[in-house]
Structure formats: C-alpha cells, structure tokens
Amino acid sequence: MIRRPPRSTLSSSSAASDVYKRQIMGGMCCGERDAQAVANDVFLNLQHGEYLKDSSASLKEDFDEDVTIDAKCTWFGEKHAEVFKVYKGHNGVLQWLGHFELLELETKVIEQKPDGKDGSTNPGNKVRTTVSYKAKSRLFGKTSETKLTDTVSWTIEQGKVTDIKIEYGDKDALTALLEPDASQAVVKAMFDDWSAGLFKTARADTVAKHFAGDVAIDANTTKPHTYKNTTGFTKYNGHDGIVQWLTFLDELAIEDLQVESILKGEKQGQVVVTTSYGARNIAENNRAPRRLSEVCVWEVVDGKVKGAAWRSRDSEELDALFQKKDYFHGKAPAAAAPEAAAPAEAPAPAEAEAAKV
C-alpha cells in the first residue's frame, strides 16, 4: 500500500492565533465557546496534530460522534477517490487526517466569518473559513509553485462540529501536486500491483508488464554488510531472474509493506523509493524485532523498469531471519574462487544512487 509518512508539520499563522485568542477569551467570558471559537479550536488542533496525539479525548471534545466531512473533489472523478470523499464519525475524522500526512503544509487563515444561509451576520452555528497554503507532497516530493486557497464550511451544534464541507479553489495546482511524473507513475503502478497480490497470482504476466526484457537487478548494494545466512540477496537478470528473486522473497512474510516516498532521482528516469515493512521467515518463524526499512533506486526506460539497485537499511536484522537455513535452495551462483585484487569498477548509475541514500 502507499504509506502515509510521519505526521506532517503544519505551521500556524499569527492571524489564526490572534483570531483564536479573541474567540477563546470571548468564550471564557460567556462560559462557553461559540461556533467561531469551536472552529478556531479545531483548526489549531489540526495544525498541531493534536487529534493524532490523543485521538479519543480530543475527538470526543470537538467532534460529534456522527460528524460528516465532505471532502469530495469533482475535478478528479474516480481518481484519488480514496482521498477526496465523504468521511463519517470519529474514525472518519482520523482517516481524513491521515491523508494530510501525505503533505507538508504552511497554512494561513485569510478570513473567518459567520456563514448564514440567509446571509445574516449571526447565523449562530455556521462558520466559513478561507485558508491559503503552500504544500509539498511527501510521496512524490513535489512543491506547489503558488499558494492554494480552499474554503471550509463548519456546522457546530452544542459546542461540537457536526459537519464540514471543503471547497477547493486551485484545480491545476492541486492536480500538479498529487500527480506523479511518467517514471514515478511506472514505479507506483508496480507497487500497486504488488499490493493487489498480482506478483503472486499472475507472476509471469505481471513481471512482463512492468519489467524490460533485459532488466538487471542488484538486490544487495548494502555496503559494507555481507549477508552470512543466505545467498538470495544477489544480482538477477531478465524476466527469469525477476521471477527467481520473487520466488526467494516468497520465503518471507512481508507484512504491511508501506511505500513512504516515490521521489525523482538525479538522472532522467531514476526513481528513489523508500519502503518499510514487517518481516517474518515463514518456515523458521523468525520475526524481525521491528519494522525494516529499505531504499531502492529504479531505472525506468520507455515505460518499464530496466534496472534497480536495492539497499536495506536494516541488513543485519534481515540477515538474521535466515540464520537456520538458506532459502535460496541452492540456486544461487556458486561462490567464485578468490582472485587477485583488481581495480574497482565504477558503480552502475542506479547502484551509485542507492549508495547515496
């Protein structure tokens, strides 16, 4: 699955803080928060990640248990439908907030005012907030060139938010932020098929779909660590090599694979992917003590993966999973006899890129 990276950091504006202070002081004088004070509380808590720190208490205080968040965006149709949709209840709030983690936001409140359907200046329970922000996509590494502007309409009943409606104001900027470039899209599609299980259920066809016929994979650019308990982390070539690599990986239960970023590399067609996952050796039942992390530099040519250099950030823990048995079933190339030292070869472009990460 595509991973939501660590919680985004949103910077609050002085304007928001001033509005917040005025409304809170007003609420204290009256003994309760009015609708604008509630909206300010919620907005500031959103900025500082309070609902993700202490979801139960904070959500119950600020959101009605049947709250509805309408975050639909008609521009995209079915694309990004998992993000731009209607969320319901406290769990829906957390799911909605989770999608914010894909972005780094610098947000500023432009205006906040009562929002009565009849145009009155004192609608009581409705507030309309206009915000502008610059955003960076954590997943694809893209930054909005201009500030985006959205409008948020709040309905508050008895001191709690019951409805939120979001209107997006910058179609082109939002689209550019969320869409991968051509090479990133190729790699993302490959991971999507992995998540769908197609590399297991339709292995040969899926390999042919995503990989060039002369693909070359280096499954161990982890230096200086050398795997002692398995020979499976080696080099593979062609479609048959990719199938062999995947067959080796079948011996591990890869749990909750999460793609944290799919970033453009330094060279044309290079894509640097960071992933994390839980791992267990199925036969030996050895389980990694924590989530493992890895970086892979993929080389995309003519819409298919032509090369990759893979590096584990936790190679010792990964190696330990194979302590009792070599799961490559004797198919790995035999160890070469010692040779006289030769001048070091320049690393392949993808390998050199992986070594930097």
Side-chain angles (χ1 to χ4, degrees):
M1 65 177 288
I2 299 299
R3 169 66 170 167
R4 294 188 296 271
R7 181 175 59 82
S8 57
T9 301
L10 298 87
S11 60
S12 59
S13 68
S14 58
S17 299
D18 291 343
V19 173
Y20 171 78
K21 291 174 184 177
R22 288 197 301 271
Q23 296 300 331
I24 288 299
M25 292 304 293
M28 290 175 61
C29 294
C30 301
E32 61 180 15
R33 298 182 299 172
D34 63 14
Q36 290 195 65
V38 172
N40 282 320
D41 277 356
V42 172
F43 190 80
L44 279 230
N45 283 338
L46 290 173
Q47 287 184 306
H48 295 293
E50 295 300 324
Y51 300 118
L52 297 176
K53 295 176 186 176
D54 181 15
S55 60
S56 178
S58 300
L59 284 177
K60 289 181 179 179
E61 180 179 350
D62 290 337
F63 291 90
D64 185 81
E65 63 181 357
D66 296 320
V67 61
T68 297
I69 301 174
D70 185 351
K72 291 186 295 185
C73 184
T74 58
W75 301 332
F76 296 120
E78 293 301 315
K79 186 178 289 188
H80 306 303
E82 74 281 5
V83 176
F84 298 102
K85 64 179 184 180
V86 175
Y87 300 85
K88 290 184 177 293
H90 290 168
N91 287 336
V93 174
L94 292 177
Q95 187 181 8
W96 174 57
L97 293 178
H99 292 303
F100 279 131
E101 296 180 359
L102 294 172
L103 301 173
E104 293 179 6
L105 302 174
E106 295 180 4
T107 309
K108 180 179 180 180
V109 175
I110 297 177
E111 182 182 43
Q112 181 158 285
K113 62 181 181 180
D115 184 30
K117 290 183 178 180
D118 58 358
S120 67
T121 59
N122 186 27
N125 66 337
K126 294 185 181 294
V127 177
R128 187 175 180 87
T129 305
T130 303
V131 297
S132 70
Y133 56 95
K134 294 201 70 174
K136 178 179 180 179
S137 166
R138 290 182 182 271
L139 184 60
F140 297 123
K142 295 186 173 185
T143 302
S144 57
E145 297 181 359
T146 60
K147 286 188 175 182
L148 290 78
T149 302
D150 296 341
T151 301
V152 184
S153 298
W154 314 76
T155 302
I156 290 93
E157 301 284 354
Q158 297 180 345
K160 294 186 179 183
V161 177
T162 59
D163 290 279
I164 296 176
K165 168 68 176 176
I166 304 170
E167 300 171 59
Y168 306 95
D170 298 280
K171 176 182 179 180
D172 293 340
L174 189 59
T175 301
L177 194 65
L178 296 176
E179 292 296 310
D181 69 10
S183 296
Q184 289 172 313
V186 169
V187 175
K188 181 181 181 298
M190 179 183 63
F191 276 99
D192 287 343
D193 280 356
W194 175 284
S195 297
L198 295 181
F199 279 100
K200 286 184 178 291
T201 61
R203 176 159 292 173
D205 289 342
T206 308
V207 167
K209 172 184 175 182
H210 293 290
F211 293 92
D214 58 347
V215 60
I217 302 290
D218 186 347
N220 180 19
T221 62
T222 303
K223 303 295 188 293
H225 178 75
T226 300
Y227 288 91
K228 300 176 181 178
N229 300 307
T230 178
T231 53
F233 296 102
T234 184
K235 294 182 179 181
Y236 299 87
N237 296 298
H239 288 173
D240 289 344
I242 300 299
V243 171
Q244 194 178 18
W245 166 238
L246 293 170
T247 301
F248 166 66
L249 292 180
D250 284 343
E251 306 296 344
L252 292 176
I254 306 298
E255 302 168 345
D256 189 24
L257 175 68
Q258 297 175 345
V259 180
E260 299 184 354
S261 61
I262 306 175
L263 307 179
K264 293 176 66 174
E266 292 182 356
K267 298 184 177 181
Q268 180 70 26
Q270 279 188 344
V271 180
V272 182
V273 178
T274 301
T275 56
S276 66
Y277 55 92
R280 177 174 59 86
N281 183 310
I282 297 172
E284 302 296 347
N285 202 31
N286 292 333
R287 182 182 294 276
R290 56 184 173 80
R291 292 185 65 81
L292 306 181
S293 178
E294 66 185 40
V295 176
C296 188
V297 178
W298 302 88
E299 181 185 355
V300 177
V301 177
D302 295 331
K304 290 193 175 184
V305 174
K306 187 177 178 63
W310 178 89
R311 180 172 72 87
S312 173
R313 288 173 167 170
D314 303 290
S315 54
E316 292 185 9
E317 291 86 347
L318 187 60
D319 194 18
L321 297 178
F322 296 88
Q323 282 183 347
K324 294 184 180 181
K325 190 175 179 181
D326 182 355
Y327 282 30
F328 203 61
H329 305 301
K331 296 180 182 178
E339 298 179 358
E345 296 181 0
E351 181 178 343
E353 187 75 13
K356 297 178 184 178
V357 181

PDB file of all heavy atoms in Angstrom, residues 59 65 67 87-97:
ATOM      1  N   LEU A  59     -11.014  14.143  20.049  1.00  0.00           N
ATOM      2  CA  LEU A  59     -12.113  13.997  19.097  1.00  0.00           C
ATOM      3  C   LEU A  59     -13.461  14.089  19.794  1.00  0.00           C
ATOM      4  O   LEU A  59     -14.386  14.734  19.290  1.00  0.00           O
ATOM      5  CB  LEU A  59     -12.002  12.654  18.369  1.00  0.00           C
ATOM      6  CG  LEU A  59     -10.945  12.554  17.265  1.00  0.00           C
ATOM      7  CD1 LEU A  59     -10.920  11.152  16.697  1.00  0.00           C
ATOM      8  CD2 LEU A  59     -11.208  13.565  16.168  1.00  0.00           C
ATOM      9  N   GLU A  65     -20.101  12.563  17.451  1.00  0.00           N
ATOM     10  CA  GLU A  65     -19.783  11.180  17.077  1.00  0.00           C
ATOM     11  C   GLU A  65     -20.303  10.817  15.691  1.00  0.00           C
ATOM     12  O   GLU A  65     -19.822   9.872  15.068  1.00  0.00           O
ATOM     13  CB  GLU A  65     -20.341  10.204  18.113  1.00  0.00           C
ATOM     14  CG  GLU A  65     -21.849  10.217  18.238  1.00  0.00           C
ATOM     15  CD  GLU A  65     -22.342   9.239  19.293  1.00  0.00           C
ATOM     16  OE1 GLU A  65     -21.493   8.518  19.864  1.00  0.00           O
ATOM     17  OE2 GLU A  65     -23.559   9.191  19.528  1.00  0.00           O
ATOM     18  N   VAL A  67     -20.261  13.043  13.110  1.00  0.00           N
ATOM     19  CA  VAL A  67     -19.778  14.119  12.248  1.00  0.00           C
ATOM     20  C   VAL A  67     -19.594  13.615  10.808  1.00  0.00           C
ATOM     21  O   VAL A  67     -19.227  12.463  10.573  1.00  0.00           O
ATOM     22  CB  VAL A  67     -18.443  14.678  12.796  1.00  0.00           C
ATOM     23  CG1 VAL A  67     -17.365  13.607  12.831  1.00  0.00           C
ATOM     24  CG2 VAL A  67     -17.994  15.882  11.976  1.00  0.00           C
ATOM     25  N   TYR A  87     -16.302  11.440   4.664  1.00  0.00           N
ATOM     26  CA  TYR A  87     -15.872  10.701   5.845  1.00  0.00           C
ATOM     27  C   TYR A  87     -16.931  10.866   6.936  1.00  0.00           C
ATOM     28  O   TYR A  87     -17.514  11.943   7.075  1.00  0.00           O
ATOM     29  CB  TYR A  87     -14.538  11.231   6.359  1.00  0.00           C
ATOM     30  CG  TYR A  87     -13.401  11.144   5.369  1.00  0.00           C
ATOM     31  CD1 TYR A  87     -13.200  12.153   4.422  1.00  0.00           C
ATOM     32  CD2 TYR A  87     -12.529  10.072   5.378  1.00  0.00           C
ATOM     33  CE1 TYR A  87     -12.158  12.084   3.516  1.00  0.00           C
ATOM     34  CE2 TYR A  87     -11.473   9.989   4.479  1.00  0.00           C
ATOM     35  CZ  TYR A  87     -11.294  11.004   3.552  1.00  0.00           C
ATOM     36  OH  TYR A  87     -10.263  10.943   2.648  1.00  0.00           O
ATOM     37  N   LYS A  88     -17.143   9.805   7.720  1.00  0.00           N
ATOM     38  CA  LYS A  88     -18.166   9.857   8.760  1.00  0.00           C
ATOM     39  C   LYS A  88     -17.630   9.345  10.086  1.00  0.00           C
ATOM     40  O   LYS A  88     -16.851   8.386  10.139  1.00  0.00           O
ATOM     41  CB  LYS A  88     -19.382   9.024   8.338  1.00  0.00           C
ATOM     42  CG  LYS A  88     -20.177   9.628   7.180  1.00  0.00           C
ATOM     43  CD  LYS A  88     -21.417   8.817   6.871  1.00  0.00           C
ATOM     44  CE  LYS A  88     -22.233   9.479   5.753  1.00  0.00           C
ATOM     45  NZ  LYS A  88     -22.806  10.768   6.201  1.00  0.00           N
ATOM     46  N   GLY A  89     -18.072  10.003  11.159  1.00  0.00           N
ATOM     47  CA  GLY A  89     -17.743   9.560  12.504  1.00  0.00           C
ATOM     48  C   GLY A  89     -16.308   9.868  12.903  1.00  0.00           C
ATOM     49  O   GLY A  89     -15.520  10.402  12.129  1.00  0.00           O
ATOM     50  N   HIS A  90     -15.976   9.518  14.146  1.00  0.00           N
ATOM     51  CA  HIS A  90     -14.639   9.783  14.659  1.00  0.00           C
ATOM     52  C   HIS A  90     -13.571   9.032  13.880  1.00  0.00           C
ATOM     53  O   HIS A  90     -12.491   9.569  13.622  1.00  0.00           O
ATOM     54  CB  HIS A  90     -14.574   9.422  16.147  1.00  0.00           C
ATOM     55  CG  HIS A  90     -15.352  10.360  17.010  1.00  0.00           C
ATOM     56  ND1 HIS A  90     -15.628  10.102  18.339  1.00  0.00           N
ATOM     57  CD2 HIS A  90     -15.927  11.578  16.745  1.00  0.00           C
ATOM     58  CE1 HIS A  90     -16.325  11.103  18.850  1.00  0.00           C
ATOM     59  NE2 HIS A  90     -16.517  12.003  17.896  1.00  0.00           N
ATOM     60  N   ASN A  91     -13.849   7.799  13.504  1.00  0.00           N
ATOM     61  CA  ASN A  91     -12.879   7.060  12.695  1.00  0.00           C
ATOM     62  C   ASN A  91     -12.677   7.723  11.338  1.00  0.00           C
ATOM     63  O   ASN A  91     -11.562   7.729  10.794  1.00  0.00           O
ATOM     64  CB  ASN A  91     -13.326   5.606  12.510  1.00  0.00           C
ATOM     65  CG  ASN A  91     -13.180   4.787  13.766  1.00  0.00           C
ATOM     66  OD1 ASN A  91     -12.377   5.114  14.645  1.00  0.00           O
ATOM     67  ND2 ASN A  91     -13.957   3.721  13.879  1.00  0.00           N
ATOM     68  N   GLY A  92     -13.736   8.283  10.800  1.00  0.00           N
ATOM     69  CA  GLY A  92     -13.627   9.012   9.540  1.00  0.00           C
ATOM     70  C   GLY A  92     -12.752  10.239   9.671  1.00  0.00           C
ATOM     71  O   GLY A  92     -11.983  10.569   8.758  1.00  0.00           O
ATOM     72  N   VAL A  93     -12.856  10.923  10.806  1.00  0.00           N
ATOM     73  CA  VAL A  93     -12.007  12.095  11.045  1.00  0.00           C
ATOM     74  C   VAL A  93     -10.537  11.683  11.018  1.00  0.00           C
ATOM     75  O   VAL A  93      -9.693  12.326  10.385  1.00  0.00           O
ATOM     76  CB  VAL A  93     -12.357  12.768  12.385  1.00  0.00           C
ATOM     77  CG1 VAL A  93     -11.364  13.888  12.686  1.00  0.00           C
ATOM     78  CG2 VAL A  93     -13.776  13.324  12.360  1.00  0.00           C
ATOM     79  N   LEU A  94     -10.210  10.583  11.709  1.00  0.00           N
ATOM     80  CA  LEU A  94      -8.828  10.123  11.754  1.00  0.00           C
ATOM     81  C   LEU A  94      -8.337   9.697  10.373  1.00  0.00           C
ATOM     82  O   LEU A  94      -7.187   9.938  10.000  1.00  0.00           O
ATOM     83  CB  LEU A  94      -8.691   8.969  12.742  1.00  0.00           C
ATOM     84  CG  LEU A  94      -8.883   9.328  14.223  1.00  0.00           C
ATOM     85  CD1 LEU A  94      -8.802   8.086  15.081  1.00  0.00           C
ATOM     86  CD2 LEU A  94      -7.840  10.352  14.664  1.00  0.00           C
ATOM     87  N   GLN A  95      -9.217   9.080   9.605  1.00  0.00           N
ATOM     88  CA  GLN A  95      -8.843   8.680   8.248  1.00  0.00           C
ATOM     89  C   GLN A  95      -8.581   9.910   7.386  1.00  0.00           C
ATOM     90  O   GLN A  95      -7.618   9.956   6.618  1.00  0.00           O
ATOM     91  CB  GLN A  95      -9.954   7.826   7.638  1.00  0.00           C
ATOM     92  CG  GLN A  95      -9.589   7.220   6.284  1.00  0.00           C
ATOM     93  CD  GLN A  95     -10.714   6.405   5.690  1.00  0.00           C
ATOM     94  OE1 GLN A  95     -11.826   6.405   6.206  1.00  0.00           O
ATOM     95  NE2 GLN A  95     -10.438   5.732   4.592  1.00  0.00           N
ATOM     96  N   TRP A  96      -9.442  10.898   7.515  1.00  0.00           N
ATOM     97  CA  TRP A  96      -9.268  12.153   6.776  1.00  0.00           C
ATOM     98  C   TRP A  96      -7.945  12.820   7.157  1.00  0.00           C
ATOM     99  O   TRP A  96      -7.178  13.249   6.294  1.00  0.00           O
ATOM    100  CB  TRP A  96     -10.456  13.061   7.086  1.00  0.00           C
ATOM    101  CG  TRP A  96     -10.391  14.443   6.523  1.00  0.00           C
ATOM    102  CD1 TRP A  96     -10.255  14.798   5.211  1.00  0.00           C
ATOM    103  CD2 TRP A  96     -10.494  15.673   7.264  1.00  0.00           C
ATOM    104  NE1 TRP A  96     -10.256  16.170   5.087  1.00  0.00           N
ATOM    105  CE2 TRP A  96     -10.405  16.724   6.317  1.00  0.00           C
ATOM    106  CE3 TRP A  96     -10.668  15.971   8.605  1.00  0.00           C
ATOM    107  CZ2 TRP A  96     -10.467  18.061   6.705  1.00  0.00           C
ATOM    108  CZ3 TRP A  96     -10.740  17.309   8.990  1.00  0.00           C
ATOM    109  CH2 TRP A  96     -10.641  18.338   8.047  1.00  0.00           C
ATOM    110  N   LEU A  97      -7.670  12.866   8.454  1.00  0.00           N
ATOM    111  CA  LEU A  97      -6.419  13.480   8.910  1.00  0.00           C
ATOM    112  C   LEU A  97      -5.214  12.695   8.414  1.00  0.00           C
ATOM    113  O   LEU A  97      -4.156  13.276   8.149  1.00  0.00           O
ATOM    114  CB  LEU A  97      -6.400  13.552  10.436  1.00  0.00           C
ATOM    115  CG  LEU A  97      -7.422  14.485  11.081  1.00  0.00           C
ATOM    116  CD1 LEU A  97      -7.321  14.408  12.596  1.00  0.00           C
ATOM    117  CD2 LEU A  97      -7.206  15.917  10.609  1.00  0.00           C
TER     118      LEU A  97
END
